[in-house]
Amino acid sequence: MRVNKMLTLLFLAVIAVCSGLRAQTVDEIVSKHIDAMGGKDKLKGLQSMYTEGIMEVRGMEIPLKLWLVNDKAMRMEFEVMGSNNIQVVTRNGGWLQMPMQGPDPKVMDSSMVHAMQSRLDLAGELYDYKAKGRTVTLEGKETKDGMETYKLKVTNRDGSVIILYVDTNTYYIDQMQTHIKAQGQEMDITTVLSDYKKTDNGFVYPASTSQEPIGTKISVSKVEVNKPVDDTIFAMPKK
């Protein structure tokens, strides 16, 4: 009986040690990722971001502009066939104005708003994740496009899951996988992030992102951090 009890205690101790090591490994990966992106102070200090670039889709090159106020609102403008298209998402809702669908602005579908609201967090999914109600677990290692990566599973407060692949050398996120429900459709999206660059104030960002199966690629040509943003650009125009 004593032998069995001793073996049980040893078994439980091993589980506890392994669990502690696993949690520590996750925190180490997250910490190194945050350092790679500019450090805690840089990420904590992110208030706004303005981005310009080109979106490639179906052989077309579409000029793109993006204004984002951290955890509050985002406005995206892109020009198609001479018309300026606008999409705005805030914590309270969203609207869009697509001239090819009519001249008047329209309230955005709630499922689309929910899918886009995750982008309002400028610091990313891993920064201060516990305070944001997220859990992160290490699911092992995988090779992505010839690069060894840590596979991290991020579970949000609402139960939605994001899979991140963190490069074991650079600690940048190479890929992320999400499941999106919008406008009655469901889709698994894989986003590939590359060509990381650093702003003058030390914040690091991916200058190239692509998404499958959507088939889009965005090449960033300009990034401005913590510049003043006029909040009125997020307000839906009156008809």
Side-chain angles (χ1 to χ4, degrees):
M1 181 66 69
R2 289 183 178 179
V3 173
N4 289 337
K5 185 175 182 180
M6 179 63 69
L7 290 174
T8 300
L9 291 174
L10 288 172
F11 178 72
L12 293 175
V14 169
I15 291 177
V17 170
C18 290
S19 298
L21 289 174
R22 183 181 179 86
Q24 184 181 18
T25 302
V26 169
D27 287 340
E28 287 177 352
I29 294 169
V30 170
S31 178
K32 290 180 179 180
H33 165 70
I34 290 171
D35 288 342
M37 298 305 292
K40 286 184 178 180
D41 292 340
K42 297 294 182 185
L43 297 183
K44 184 178 180 180
L46 285 174
Q47 299 299 318
S48 67
M49 182 182 295
Y50 170 70
T51 303
E52 291 182 6
I54 297 293
M55 178 169 58
E56 300 176 36
V57 54
R58 296 181 180 178
M60 296 188 298
E61 292 189 349
I62 302 171
L64 177 73
K65 295 180 180 180
L66 181 70
W67 293 262
L68 205 160
V69 177
N70 188 45
D71 202 35
K72 290 184 179 180
M74 174 179 67
R75 178 187 176 104
M76 182 169 61
E77 295 185 7
F78 54 97
E79 186 177 324
V80 179
M81 300 177 65
S83 64
N84 191 44
N85 298 264
I86 302 171
Q87 293 182 350
V88 171
V89 173
T90 71
R91 282 298 177 199
N92 299 318
W95 59 273
L96 47 81
Q97 190 168 20
M98 315 282 278
M100 296 185 69
Q101 299 178 3
D104 296 327
K106 299 177 181 179
V107 174
M108 187 179 292
D109 180 84
S110 60
S111 61
M112 188 174 177
V113 171
H114 180 73
M116 295 177 67
Q117 281 177 334
S118 61
R119 298 186 61 187
L120 298 181
D121 188 352
L122 277 174
E125 291 78 12
L126 296 179
Y127 173 77
D128 208 16
Y129 71 90
K130 293 177 183 177
K132 296 173 182 175
R134 297 171 182 148
T135 58
V136 179
T137 56
L138 175 60
E139 303 295 306
K141 292 182 179 181
E142 288 191 19
T143 300
K144 293 292 181 181
D145 296 329
M147 301 293 183
E148 185 182 54
T149 65
Y150 295 109
K151 181 181 179 181
L152 299 182
K153 179 181 178 181
V154 181
T155 305
N156 294 307
R157 186 182 280 114
D158 64 2
S160 60
V161 172
I162 300 174
I163 303 297
L164 302 178
Y165 294 93
V166 180
D167 193 300
T168 58
N169 292 316
T170 64
Y171 287 91
Y172 295 148
I173 295 175
D174 286 347
Q175 288 190 27
M176 59 191 302
Q177 295 176 349
T178 55
H179 184 77
I180 294 178
K181 299 178 181 179
Q183 297 180 317
Q185 297 183 350
E186 296 189 29
M187 185 181 299
D188 291 318
I189 304 293
T190 297
T191 303
V192 178
L193 305 96
S194 60
D195 192 20
Y196 279 83
K197 295 182 179 180
K198 184 180 291 187
T199 63
D200 292 338
N201 72 340
F203 171 69
V204 177
Y205 66 94
S208 178
T209 62
S210 61
Q211 289 186 324
E212 295 295 344
I214 299 175
T216 61
K217 180 180 179 180
I218 296 177
S219 300
V220 174
S221 58
K222 180 179 181 179
V223 171
E224 293 180 347
V225 175
N226 292 343
K227 299 286 186 179
V229 177
D230 185 356
D231 288 341
T232 61
I233 69 172
F234 305 116
M236 183 174 175
K238 296 180 180 179
K239 296 181 181 181

